[in-house]
Amino acid sequence: MNIIEKIEREQLRMDIPEFKAGDTVKVFMRIIEGEKERIQVFQGAVIRVSNGTTNATFTVRKISDGVGVERVFPMHSPSIERVEVVQEGRVRRSRLYYLRNLKGKAARIKPKNRW
C-alpha cells in the first residue's frame, strides 16, 4: 500500500487554495478545442467539497441566464489552471444543496465578517 500512496502523493497539487462550502470561487479551466487551447472561467458558490487524496472533488454552482448550472471539478486535475477565492461565505453546513430550491435574492450567501 505504501507504493500506491507514494504514487498518489506525487499527483497531488499544492497550489490550490483552502476553501470550503459557501465560498465564492473562480475556477480557471483549460479548454482544448481542436488545436487551440483557451482558459474558461467558471465563477460560482461552492456547494460541496469532497476530500480525499487524488479523488477529491468540489462542486460549484452558478446561475446562468436564469438557469442553475452545477459543475463538479476534480481538485487535483491538470486541466485546472488555478482557483481563486473571491469571497468567503458565512454558512453553517458543509453541503449546501438547499440552494437548488432557492431563487433570486434568497439564494445569496452572506459574506463572512472580517474584523
Side-chain angles (χ1 to χ4, degrees):
M1 291 304 280
N2 291 337
I3 297 170
I4 294 173
E5 291 174 2
K6 189 175 182 182
I7 293 171
E8 283 184 347
R9 205 173 301 122
E10 292 172 0
Q11 303 297 321
L12 299 181
R13 293 181 61 166
M14 298 301 169
D15 60 339
I16 304 291
E18 293 268 333
F19 57 87
K20 59 187 185 335
D23 294 351
T24 302
V25 295
K26 279 186 183 179
V27 182
F28 294 83
M29 289 288 297
R30 267 191 226 103
I31 306 294
I32 299 171
E33 296 173 338
E35 296 179 10
K36 293 184 179 179
E37 183 177 312
R38 65 184 176 88
I39 303 292
Q40 184 175 9
V41 180
F42 192 90
Q43 180 174 345
V46 177
I47 63 169
R48 127 180 245 247
V49 177
S50 171
N51 292 322
T53 52
T54 55
N55 58 347
T57 60
F58 61 99
T59 304
V60 181
R61 178 180 176 82
K62 74 173 183 176
I63 305 297
S64 179
D65 294 326
V67 178
V69 178
E70 290 184 10
R71 188 157 177 197
V72 179
F73 295 99
M75 188 84 73
H76 305 289
S77 172
S79 63
I80 293 179
E81 180 74 25
R82 68 182 189 273
V83 178
E84 290 180 5
V85 178
V86 177
Q87 183 181 35
E88 291 185 13
R90 191 177 82 206
V91 293
R92 298 171 69 171
R93 314 189 172 275
S94 62
R95 305 281 192 262
L96 304 180
Y97 296 139
Y98 64 89
L99 289 177
R100 294 172 177 166
N101 301 324
L102 302 178
K103 294 180 182 174
K105 288 187 177 181
R108 288 184 301 186
I109 298 173
K110 293 182 181 178
K112 188 178 250 186
N113 291 336
R114 291 286 182 185
W115 302 105

